[in-house]
Amino acid sequence: MYAGRKIALALATVALAGGMATVTGPAAATPATSAGAAAECGVRADGKLWCGNRVGAKGYEHRRYNSAVRGPLNTSPSWFQCWGRGDQHAGGNNVWYWTQLDNGQWGNVAAVDLHTSVDPARACASADLTP
């Protein structure tokens, strides 16, 4: 009986520690380490579109590759406010997503750099229109 209690206590401790790691882990985006993070794409309770993305993807001032680079997306998944049409890209369409980049600047990211099943991934309200 003593050995059984020790095993039960050890298992409970491991389960509790695993649960605490999940609860206390960061709520912000973290680098993608699994297929689940890369495949995620949907609107969360905060009203933002959260999608897995290519780490290192560039955000541009306009929806054109020849516009100024505003910064990178160094984490995945990331959130996106809206979308618009711009330059054609390797993803086979001209959809770009608007987001706040990891350096705090706002920029447009080509849909080819997001893990979406369809582009555009969602529609925007007219108040969300971006340059």
Side-chain angles (χ1 to χ4, degrees):
M1 177 77 82
Y2 180 71
R5 281 189 173 184
K6 283 181 110 172
I7 292 171
L9 181 59
L11 289 174
T13 302
V14 169
L16 181 59
M20 289 177 66
T22 301
V23 172
T24 60
T30 56
T33 57
S34 70
E40 174 192 358
C41 192
V43 178
R44 291 187 183 171
D46 62 5
K48 296 175 184 172
L49 175 68
W50 285 84
C51 292
N53 56 272
R54 184 179 63 78
V55 173
K58 293 178 183 175
Y60 294 85
E61 181 178 5
H62 302 288
R63 296 180 202 117
R64 299 187 310 263
Y65 285 113
N66 65 353
S67 66
V69 174
R70 291 270 180 97
L73 288 176
N74 294 322
T75 57
S76 180
S78 297
W79 62 268
F80 300 88
Q81 189 68 38
C82 194
W83 64 273
R85 302 217 181 261
D87 278 355
Q88 192 79 10
H89 52 72
N93 61 50
N94 63 354
V95 175
W96 292 65
Y97 291 89
W98 180 248
T99 189
Q100 188 170 20
L101 304 162
D102 291 335
N103 64 2
Q105 296 287 319
W106 285 84
N108 294 282
V109 179
V112 69
D113 291 322
L114 277 66
H115 305 300
T116 57
S117 60
V118 63
D119 292 307
R122 75 167 183 137
C124 301
S126 59
D128 289 339
L129 295 177
T130 60

